[in-house]
Amino acid sequence: MRDRIEALMGRARDDLAELVAIRSVADPRQYPAEECLRAANWVADRFAGVGFTGVGLHETSDGSNAVFGVRPTAVPGAPTVLLYAHYDVQPPLDAAAWRTPPWELTESGGRWYGRGAADCKGNIVMHLTALRALGDADLPVNLKLIVEGSEEQGTGGLEDFVVRNPGLLEADAILVCDTGNAAVGAPATTVTLRGLANVVVTVEALRGELHSGMFGGPAPDALAALVHILATLRDSDGNTTIAGLDNSQRWTGAPYPPEQFRADAGLVGGAGLLGDGTVSDMLWARPAVTVLGIDCPPVVGSAAAIQPHARARLNLRVPAGMDAAKAQDALIAHLQSAAPWGVRVTVEKESLGQPFEARTGGPAYRALGAAMREAYGRDMVALGQGGSIPLCNVFAETYPRAEIILMGVEEPLALIHAPNESVDPGEIARLALAEALFLRGYQP
């Protein structure tokens, strides 16, 4: 099987080059909607070529197209495995920051560069490579495929589709291939995802701008008040300190070495790591608040005036075991109570997503662990992920008996969502081998 996959890697590269060249950003304000349609049809055509029947495009509530198909087995009582990925990608952002053309798969330093090369078109190609290696032989599992087209936009098209069509995607094991390993060659599954709670806080202190020379001192400064409020969200060690939220939890899975995190995050100069816990604790087990943006006058063009109002957009990442709605309420209460000088503070609730925690230890996890060990030559470990995938919660609620497994070709060097995204082709090969072995050996 390993030899078969190695022989298929040239074809895998060709497929990924074709797919990366399709500018499938699911935002018609930035790229034509026809690009996403091209990607959807490409996926449908390729999976029809590896034995899937009834492959077709299903329009979802947000206007995107999800690709669905089945590959049944003749084995009586066989379990069903659902394969997931998404074909839409992030926009390339700053084109000048790319060292290679973002829409052209380019090999450099042993990696393949291009937007979506890892997230998540690399996982689509990984699925195809595993299935091609398995060939036409009847598998001991029924296969279902779902590849969505709006994951990066967070508009919930597939989530709604699952709820409206629960029988269509029902499975015993669901391989959500949109995460990855902590490092190249280190097999892992993601067992927790942080939720999120975004808010916009507005501070009002005056009816209008005032001359800082004539009124500065006794007149309250809305921007200074906002800075004061934001400063209360972390202590001197960098721990998130929102009243009512536990910030002392510990991560029990695989550690994230501090040296590796420093390199992965690209810390500059003498910048230090935040918090009194380990990197894994801070990243996967505890709440973390980030200031995403502030509305205030820019330095260039600013006047000698006291600001009457200012606002900021905040992102709170919520660990597994913590309710995101309650965490959002706690954040709002904290912001309001921290307001100095009697200024007016209003907080608008924005997006909300619950964290996810996978059930591990079942037959699918055991089978995948054995397959990963054979493919990588080392044991699979459990990781958390700071990002959110709301679809996993929908899967868990709709199919409570299913084992949901998060894995994929993405790892820190892939720089997903950033300029110079890339994938290590060895990760595609190893994970394809693991998936092929899993599909051949999984039995509940």
Side-chain angles (χ1 to χ4, degrees), residues 382-399:
L383 301 177
Q385 182 171 291
S388 303
I389 305 179
L391 178 64
C392 290
N393 296 88
V394 176
F395 277 150
E397 292 165 5
T398 309
Y399 313 117

Side-chain angles (χ1 to χ4, degrees), residues 162-432:
V162 172
V163 173
R164 292 176 182 271
N165 302 274
L168 199 64
L169 302 181
E170 187 173 9
D172 298 282
I174 303 175
L175 302 187
V176 178
C177 292
D178 192 20
T179 62
N181 299 331
V184 172
T189 56
T190 300
V191 297
T192 66
L193 299 169
R194 287 197 290 191
L196 62 87
N198 285 7
V199 302
V200 175
V201 54
T202 301
V203 176
E204 298 174 282
L206 303 166
R207 288 193 298 270
E209 286 87 350
L210 295 175
H211 191 287
S212 60
M214 297 178 63
F215 294 93
D221 179 336
L223 182 54
L226 177 62
V227 170
H228 173 90
I229 294 169
L230 298 180
T232 68
L233 295 172
R234 291 183 182 269
D235 63 18
S236 58
D237 291 326
N239 295 294
T240 293
T241 52
I242 297 171
L245 297 188
D246 182 9
N247 68 350
S248 63
Q249 298 178 17
R250 298 288 180 181
W251 175 253
T252 58
Y256 197 151
E259 299 77 13
Q260 183 183 338
F261 181 81
R262 287 176 180 275
D264 293 342
L267 270 66
V268 298
L273 301 179
L274 303 185
D276 58 14
T278 66
V279 170
S280 300
D281 294 338
M282 304 299 296
L283 194 59
W284 300 325
R286 300 182 182 183
V289 67
T290 301
V291 180
L292 300 181
I294 298 179
D295 284 343
C296 62
V299 171
V300 176
S302 57
I306 303 170
Q307 296 305 309
H309 48 76
R311 66 176 185 164
R313 183 171 181 241
L314 307 180
N315 167 248
L316 176 63
R317 293 291 174 167
V318 182
M322 187 176 290
D323 183 85
K326 292 180 180 178
Q328 189 177 54
D329 290 340
L331 173 59
I332 292 171
H334 180 104
L335 294 168
Q336 292 172 333
S337 66
W341 317 323
V343 297
R344 181 186 302 162
V345 173
T346 55
V347 185
E348 173 191 353
K349 292 183 179 180
E350 212 180 43
S351 51
L352 182 75
Q354 292 291 350
F356 170 79
E357 186 168 13
R359 291 186 297 105
T360 61
Y365 268 90
R366 289 193 297 271
L368 182 65
M372 287 282 206
R373 190 179 309 113
E374 185 171 347
Y376 281 83
R378 56 195 294 188
D379 287 337
M380 179 180 77
V381 300
L383 301 177
Q385 182 171 291
S388 303
I389 305 179
L391 178 64
C392 290
N393 296 88
V394 176
F395 277 150
E397 292 165 5
T398 309
Y399 313 117
R401 296 182 179 179
E403 291 185 70
I404 301 172
I405 301 173
L406 291 95
M407 62 186 203
V409 301
E410 304 157 24
E411 35 77 30
L413 296 179
L415 297 179
I416 64 171
H417 292 202
N420 302 304
E421 179 181 351
S422 68
V423 67
D424 185 311
E427 288 294 89
I428 294 178
R430 285 184 290 268
L431 203 66

